[in-house]
Amino acid sequence: MTGIDDVARAAGVSTATVSRALRGLTGVSAATRDRVLQTADSLGYEPSSSAAHLASGRTMAMGVLLPMIERWYFASALEGVDRALRAAGYDLIVFSLGGSGTNRQRVFHRSMLRKRIDALLVMCMQLTPDELADLQALEYPNVIVGGHVDGLRSVSVDDAAAATDAAEYLISLGHTRIAHLKGGGAYGIDFDVPRRREQAFRDTMARHGLPVRPEWQAMGGFRFAGGKIAAGQLLDAPGERPTAIFASADEMAFGALLAAHERGLRVPEDLSVVGIDDHEFAEPMGLTTIRQRPDEQGAYAAELLLGELQGKARLDVPRIQPHELVVRASTGPPPSS
Amino acid sequence: MTGIDDVARAAGVSTATVSRALRGLTGVSAATRDRVLQTADSLGYEPSSSAAHLASGRTMAMGVLLPMIERWYFASALEGVDRALRAAGYDLIVFSLGGSGTNRQRVFHRSMLRKRIDALLVMCMQLTPDELADLQALEYPNVIVGGHVDGLRSVSVDDAAAATDAAEYLISLGHTRIAHLKGGGAYGIDFDVPRRREQAFRDTMARHGLPVRPEWQAMGGFRFAGGKIAAGQLLDAPGERPTAIFASADEMAFGALLAAHERGLRVPEDLSVVGIDDHEFAEPMGLTTIRQRPDEQGAYAAELLLGELQGKARLDVPRIQPHELVVRASTGPPPSS
DNA sequence: CTGTTAGCGCGTTCAA
DNA sequence: TTGAACGCGCTAACAG
């Protein structure tokens, strides 16, 4: 393996000069810099990140801790984080709980991040007090993405506003009999996003003097299959049927769409459905939804940490991430019945 | 930060003994080992991976290079890789091309992996000759997952057999007018999986003396939206309609299902659809498909590399990964017309 | 079974 | 603008 002294020798300078030239520091004449760059390139030299870490204290890597990867939100956010990090020359180290929730003990234990990262992004996780303490003991900059933990900064949409906008839109169309497909309880990891959305839904209904019927609140577990089953039960129940379903996430909304189809209900004539996310499938499925961009949230969070590592002032209250109503074919006025 | 000498001093032994005890090497008395473990724990000591790397030559990290994260196959495979690595105490470093294909130059350039990893998994990428050379110059163990590159080992299903099984199943139901939704051309990264599946489809049709009509071959780009559009065009075309669609991936099959529904075609009475993958949505959508398990493929590939790092013999021909027909509600005999 | 010592490959002083 | 020398924290080889 070719090291820094090989370059130094070949370029006829000291290792210190090579180091300076390669990192673009000042105090190197243009001539020597060019020479160093050229010989480094021709020798195929690349510095060892471990040696650099040891000498400088910086790992040039960032960690992401998440409950699981294979979920639209997480995978998209990861993509955004990766994009931001790569642009800054940082590496991305991924720690997934794999949805298990069982290897949950000592998540933030020192062993999980063996002095390998400069900062940590935590995605959508509800933390126990012990875990919170562990995280803070880790002492490097951190931020929560897509979730909320007391005492830590979050980068996310305004979940309450997003849910409110969805419910308000249904109400503006004339709906009064609105059901709610709730998320949560599915990741093996609770987090409060579903609670915030549900509360906002309830508040919005109350503000309009509309009832929130217990039998129209169902748990869809944030997934297609769960949403389909829950929506099916809603629609099959005796008595009045809702004219609209607000799903706390698109995947559950897809399930609702399918459940309606299977029962011969027309969307939106008989039933309107609105979700949150703007999942890739929402457009082809014609789902009206509240768009959010997990990738941009991830990138924003990564850049925030990157900024702090470069000495920028700490941002105690990150910018709320935007959301937006996207109207498609799954919503319309309620049936006139 | 507490280092190894802090532990050594506190335990009254040398740093070498601490190192040995902590790594579970032989040649340490039970008593000393316990004492060391205990003081290390109480001091909250965790070794620096960089220092360990420098001294030992091992990074205890593995890299994964993939075209993008937010895609069912990649995210699932990543999950499996992570699971295997974490069990072995290895870290996972992710390099995503972000679907761009533009920052494609010098993918394997030394700078991409600054001596940070012990082995590399490459997912589903078609490599240029230059890239292949770069990869091999990287000199650490590698393996391709879910794709094929001449000269490199692959962990994947038998794509030809999977596509054959799907087509054979349709044929066994009595279908003769079978359309094909092809993948490919979508990732910004070509790879030969779609070609293998298409070829197997053609071969199977030929073997049964069935025609492969050019107007029934459509490009769905491996995605829901693309599959929906392509299937819609197939179904809207004047002249005879296919009685079955074989989609090279579930996401396109979902699009076909939707296109059929929108045209009032009943599935499977008027049209049968079969996919490949067993995507999470396949079960609730009632899609007949060929199941594969990307997570297990990823885990298997990771374990293969792990084994080699531990000195096991190199496996030149990894085990073909299993696939399996899963019959659901989207397939049936062709209409008797 | 345990301790001593010499690097691993850089970044970073400090002096020139 | 450049170079020499030290040390980051650990593992490995050797000696005891």
Side-chain angles (χ1 to χ4, degrees), chain A residues 90-112:
Chain A
Y90 271 67
D91 284 326
L92 167 60
I93 302 192
V94 173
F95 303 94
S96 170
L97 263 33
S100 68
T102 54
N103 55 348
R104 192 75 200 283
Q105 321 99 309
R106 319 298 294 136
V107 165
F108 291 105
H109 194 270
R110 311 167 281 269
S111 67
M112 188 159 210

Side-chain angles (χ1 to χ4, degrees), chain A:
Chain A
M1 202 78 273
T2 129
I4 198 170
D5 353 60
D6 299 308
V7 180
R9 211 171 306 121
V13 295
S14 72
T15 60
T17 300
V18 174
S19 178
R20 283 189 282 251
L22 256 33
R23 287 181 300 143
L25 298 188
T26 59
V28 184
S29 74
T32 27
R33 159 160 297 135
D34 286 351
R35 188 153 34 90
V36 169
L37 259 42
Q38 208 147 358
T39 67
D41 189 57
S42 72
L43 260 49
Y45 167 72
E46 199 66 25
S48 152
S49 61
S50 293
H53 172 205
L54 230 45
S56 73
R58 272 168 266 112
T59 65
M60 297 298 280
M62 209 176 282
V64 173
L65 175 63
L66 31 59
M68 62 202 317
I69 300 173
E70 203 280 297
R71 210 98 276 273
W72 175 80
Y73 184 89
F74 298 132
S76 303
L78 214 43
E79 196 87 75
V81 171
D82 180 87
R83 193 199 314 143
L85 293 186
R86 203 143 312 290
Y90 271 67
D91 284 326
L92 167 60
I93 302 192
V94 173
F95 303 94
S96 170
L97 263 33
S100 68
T102 54
N103 55 348
R104 192 75 200 283
Q105 321 99 309
R106 319 298 294 136
V107 165
F108 291 105
H109 194 270
R110 311 167 281 269
S111 67
M112 188 159 210
L113 335 133
R114 288 170 295 200
K115 305 174 178 168
R116 224 176 218 178
I117 60 180
D118 292 332
L120 180 67
L121 270 113
V122 180
M123 284 199 193
C124 279
M125 310 216 337
Q126 190 78 353
L127 304 180
T128 66
D130 277 356
E131 289 171 341
L132 180 57
D134 282 345
L135 171 55
Q136 285 168 330
L138 246 25
E139 87 188 358
Y140 30 59
N142 60 56
V143 66
I144 307 286
V145 179
H148 309 273
V149 174
D150 281 343
L152 299 180
R153 300 175 293 177
S154 296
V155 169
S156 75
V157 294
D158 182 336
D159 283 294
T164 301
D165 289 358
E168 287 283 3
Y169 180 63
L170 290 174
I171 294 168
S172 77
L173 289 171
H175 291 275
T176 58
R177 287 147 50 192
I178 306 176
H180 179 33
L181 284 182
K182 302 190 280 187
Y187 289 78
I189 291 104
D190 308 40
F191 63 104
D192 67 352
V193 170
R195 283 194 295 279
R196 291 189 179 218
R197 294 183 183 171
E198 177 179 3
Q199 190 55 51
F201 170 73
R202 292 177 174 280
D203 292 348
T204 305
M205 292 293 275
R207 202 177 317 117
H208 288 269
L210 297 174
V212 172
R213 309 196 198 177
E215 69 275 21
W216 287 355
Q217 314 301 305
M219 194 66 110
F222 270 126
R223 311 190 87 123
F224 190 134
K228 184 186 167 200
I229 292 168
Q233 289 168 347
L234 280 181
L235 297 174
D236 289 338
E240 234 180 2
R241 217 168 41 206
T243 63
I245 295 181
F246 160 53
S248 272
D250 278 2
E251 299 191 31
M252 293 188 290
F254 301 149
L257 251 22
L258 202 60
H261 279 305
E262 288 184 356
R263 284 159 182 76
L265 295 175
R266 292 164 306 160
V267 173
E269 292 81 357
D270 302 317
L271 181 75
S272 286
V273 177
V274 56
I276 292 184
D277 276 346
D278 200 31
H279 183 286
E280 179 193 348
F281 291 2
E283 187 273 320
M285 296 272 275
L287 178 69
T288 295
T289 189
I290 304 290
R291 172 179 297 158
Q292 68 166 330
R293 291 288 303 271
D295 57 331
E296 296 188 350
Q297 294 166 33
Y300 176 77
E303 282 159 5
L304 181 152
L305 293 178
L306 247 14
E308 283 166 23
L309 292 176
Q310 289 161 17
K312 290 204 191 115
R314 178 188 155 93
L315 211 56
D316 279 307
V317 184
R319 193 177 61 228
I320 290 288
Q321 301 294 301
H323 67 269
E324 168 193 11
L325 174 69
V326 180
V327 176
R328 298 204 180 92
S330 69
T331 43
S336 42
S337 78

Side-chain angles (χ1 to χ4, degrees), chain B residues 131-206:
Chain B
E131 289 170 341
L132 179 57
D134 282 346
L135 172 54
Q136 286 167 330
L138 246 23
E139 87 187 0
Y140 30 59
N142 59 57
V143 66
I144 306 286
V145 178
H148 309 274
V149 175
D150 281 344
L152 299 181
R153 299 174 293 177
S154 297
V155 169
S156 75
V157 293
D158 181 337
D159 284 294
T164 301
D165 288 359
E168 287 284 2
Y169 180 64
L170 290 175
I171 294 168
S172 76
L173 289 172
H175 292 276
T176 57
R177 287 147 51 190
I178 306 177
H180 179 33
L181 283 182
K182 304 190 278 188
Y187 291 77
I189 290 108
D190 307 41
F191 62 106
D192 68 352
V193 169
R195 285 194 294 280
R196 292 187 178 219
R197 294 183 183 173
E198 177 179 3
Q199 192 55 51
F201 170 73
R202 293 178 174 280
D203 293 348
T204 304
M205 294 292 276

Side-chain angles (χ1 to χ4, degrees), chain A residues 46 50 53 59 115-116, chain B residues 46 50 53 59 96 115-116:
Chain A
E46 199 66 25
S50 293
H53 172 205
T59 65
K115 305 174 178 168
R116 224 176 218 178
Chain B
E46 198 65 24
S50 292
H53 171 206
T59 64
S96 170
K115 305 174 180 171
R116 235 190 205 163

Side-chain angles (χ1 to χ4, degrees), chain B residues 66-288:
Chain B
L66 30 61
M68 63 203 315
I69 300 172
E70 203 278 299
R71 210 99 277 273
W72 176 79
Y73 184 89
F74 299 131
S76 303
L78 213 45
E79 196 87 73
V81 171
D82 180 87
R83 194 200 312 144
L85 293 187
R86 203 143 313 290
Y90 272 68
D91 283 327
L92 166 61
I93 302 194
V94 172
F95 303 94
S96 170
L97 264 35
S100 68
T102 53
N103 55 348
R104 190 74 198 283
Q105 321 100 310
R106 319 299 292 134
V107 165
F108 292 105
H109 193 273
R110 311 167 280 270
S111 66
M112 190 160 209
L113 335 133
R114 287 170 297 200
K115 305 174 180 171
R116 235 190 205 163
I117 61 181
D118 293 331
L120 180 66
L121 269 114
V122 180
M123 283 198 193
C124 278
M125 309 213 341
Q126 189 78 353
L127 304 180
T128 67
D130 277 357
E131 289 170 341
L132 179 57
D134 282 346
L135 172 54
Q136 286 167 330
L138 246 23
E139 87 187 0
Y140 30 59
N142 59 57
V143 66
I144 306 286
V145 178
H148 309 274
V149 175
D150 281 344
L152 299 181
R153 299 174 293 177
S154 297
V155 169
S156 75
V157 293
D158 181 337
D159 284 294
T164 301
D165 288 359
E168 287 284 2
Y169 180 64
L170 290 175
I171 294 168
S172 76
L173 289 172
H175 292 276
T176 57
R177 287 147 51 190
I178 306 177
H180 179 33
L181 283 182
K182 304 190 278 188
Y187 291 77
I189 290 108
D190 307 41
F191 62 106
D192 68 352
V193 169
R195 285 194 294 280
R196 292 187 178 219
R197 294 183 183 173
E198 177 179 3
Q199 192 55 51
F201 170 73
R202 293 178 174 280
D203 293 348
T204 304
M205 294 292 276
R207 201 177 318 118
H208 288 269
L210 296 174
V212 172
R213 309 196 197 176
E215 69 274 21
W216 287 355
Q217 312 303 304
M219 194 66 111
F222 270 126
R223 311 189 85 122
F224 190 134
K228 184 185 167 198
I229 292 168
Q233 288 167 347
L234 281 182
L235 297 175
D236 289 339
E240 235 181 0
R241 221 172 35 208
T243 63
I245 295 181
F246 160 54
S248 272
D250 279 2
E251 299 191 32
M252 295 187 290
F254 299 149
L257 251 21
L258 203 59
H261 278 304
E262 288 184 357
R263 283 157 183 79
L265 295 174
R266 290 163 307 159
V267 173
E269 291 81 357
D270 302 318
L271 181 76
S272 285
V273 177
V274 58
I276 291 183
D277 276 347
D278 200 30
H279 183 287
E280 179 193 348
F281 290 3
E283 187 273 321
M285 297 272 275
L287 179 69
T288 294

